[in-house]
Amino acid sequence: MIAANHCGDDFAKHLADSGLVISSGPIRFLVHTKIPSVVQNLARLYSGLACSIDESDTAFFDFHIAVRPPNLFRKLWHRQAQFFLDDQIIFNPFPVHHATAMLEWGMNWCVSTQINTYLIIHAAVIEKNGFAVVLPAPPGSGKSTLCASLVLEGWRLLSDELTLINLQSANAVPIPRPIGLKNQSIQVIRDRYPDAIMGLVSSDTLKGSVSHLKPPESSIQMQAVECPVAWIVFPKYQENAATQIIPKAKGQSFMAIADNAFNFSHLGSVSFGILKQVVENAQCYDFCYSQLDEAITVFNKLARPNEF
């Protein structure tokens, strides 16, 4: 796939006219927008992931999406934007200064609700030395902060939000896109990694302040490389807590992951069988932390089993 920097100064023009292709692992989005903040954010976060489309490109796109102002009547009263899939309204209008976050949430919604060729789990997934760690956790658990730190310490990002499991091989399938950070996590990552590339901040959303971290180039270059799952770690950030990693029963792990899977029921016996295979082949842990340095040390030892 051609890199976004091949679009050069035409980045905004492509987004406004023919659309811009964002390829992330096996998923292809065709994105349209004229909203300046969204254009700026996409240019900052997706270089290396996106490309222009030309008349010869007849390839299939999984999702045709757009972020644009709502109808004229609403425009007269509020500065709003709206997310469209196949020209259909998906969500209610939202303040235009939330548009960058809403695009990312909308793309996640597309994959988690429309794709059933993979088992899709609400979890981050990263890789080192050829093996993946799956990190299932609810909002507020510190999952994305931990994921961002590990990725910036040399782990490969497969996803910070959606773990895709291949239904034949049980491998984790990369879909590397920007990592969503909220509230204090934004400044934590900025302070620890001043060279990290961050997108615009959407303030006062339902989730507070939201910004996204650009994935490393190395993760993007390996977005076609699947890998087996060696560890399933349920992270939990707890202020002033001692760092602890405790083995978790595989039965409990299976049930917890099934509860975090978007399409477990829809896939029926297929998802049961493939998740059983993933859990049986992985070491499962509960992980509590308050210090990122200590957390990173634990995960780096995981990736070197002889030291763990």
Side-chain angles (χ1 to χ4, degrees):
M1 184 56 68
I2 307 167
N5 50 16
H6 287 232
C7 299
D9 295 335
D10 293 334
F11 197 89
K13 184 175 186 303
H14 282 299
L15 275 168
D17 297 338
S18 57
L20 205 74
V21 181
I22 291 178
S23 293
S24 182
I27 309 297
R28 301 186 84 209
F29 299 89
L30 180 61
V31 184
H32 285 85
T33 190
K34 294 181 181 178
I35 296 176
S37 62
V38 180
V39 173
Q40 180 184 349
N41 216 46
L42 285 170
R44 188 168 178 80
L45 296 177
Y46 278 90
S47 60
L49 274 175
C51 76
S52 63
I53 179 173
D54 58 37
E55 293 178 355
S56 64
D57 194 335
T58 57
F60 174 79
F61 302 105
D62 296 280
F63 301 108
H64 294 235
I65 60 178
V67 178
R68 56 179 185 255
N71 60 46
L72 179 60
F73 179 76
R74 281 185 174 274
K75 285 171 62 176
L76 294 175
W77 295 95
H78 303 288
R79 293 192 68 236
Q80 293 182 317
Q82 201 149 26
F83 182 88
F84 295 82
L85 171 62
D86 294 335
D87 272 337
Q88 302 298 309
I89 295 172
I90 302 301
F91 308 119
N92 289 330
F94 43 89
V96 71
H97 63 277
H98 295 174
T100 54
M102 183 55 71
L103 175 60
E104 295 297 331
W105 293 336
M107 293 167 78
N108 287 341
W109 179 89
C110 289
V111 176
S112 62
T113 64
Q114 308 296 311
I115 297 291
N116 288 303
T117 46
Y118 304 93
L119 176 63
I120 302 178
I121 303 164
H122 182 208
V125 56
I126 55 178
E127 174 267 339
K128 201 166 196 180
N129 298 333
F131 295 95
V133 185
V134 175
L135 302 165
S141 60
K143 167 179 65 68
S144 292
T145 311
L146 178 60
C147 174
S149 299
L150 291 167
V151 165
L152 292 169
E153 295 285 342
W155 289 69
R156 172 164 70 108
L157 176 70
L158 279 72
S159 174
D160 89 307
E161 193 70 17
L162 302 173
T163 294
L164 274 56
I165 300 295
N166 185 311
L167 296 178
Q168 281 73 49
S169 65
N171 285 341
V173 178
I175 177 175
R177 291 188 19 241
I179 299 173
L181 297 168
K182 297 187 289 292
N183 303 316
Q184 294 93 335
S185 297
I186 298 169
Q187 197 59 47
V188 167
I189 295 301
R190 280 179 174 159
D191 289 344
R192 285 182 63 93
Y193 308 100
D195 294 332
I197 298 175
M198 304 284 292
L200 301 177
V201 176
S202 296
S203 302
D204 302 321
T205 75
L206 292 175
K207 299 183 179 183
S209 296
V210 177
S211 183
H212 288 78
L213 169 72
K214 182 181 178 181
E217 195 70 30
S218 56
S219 297
I220 296 169
Q221 290 172 353
M222 293 186 67
Q223 63 176 310
V225 181
E226 302 179 7
C227 58
V229 177
W231 308 278
I232 299 167
V233 180
F234 295 83
K236 181 175 177 56
Y237 172 83
Q238 189 172 337
E239 190 173 3
N240 299 322
T243 301
Q244 281 188 308
I245 185 163
I246 302 170
K248 189 180 182 76
K250 296 209 172 188
Q252 291 179 345
S253 299
F254 179 98
M255 294 304 297
I257 297 174
D259 284 344
N260 277 280
F262 291 99
N263 55 354
F264 185 81
S265 298
H266 180 86
L267 294 174
S269 60
V270 174
S271 60
F272 183 92
I274 207 71
L275 183 55
K276 179 172 177 286
Q277 184 178 340
V278 169
V279 173
E280 283 181 344
N281 291 337
Q283 300 174 51
C284 304
Y285 298 98
D286 279 321
F287 178 60
C288 184
Y289 78 100
S290 61
Q291 300 297 319
L292 275 173
D293 288 332
E294 294 179 8
I296 291 165
T297 298
V298 169
F299 275 77
N300 285 338
K301 286 183 177 179
L302 273 182
R304 298 190 296 271
N306 293 335
E307 298 181 20
F308 193 68

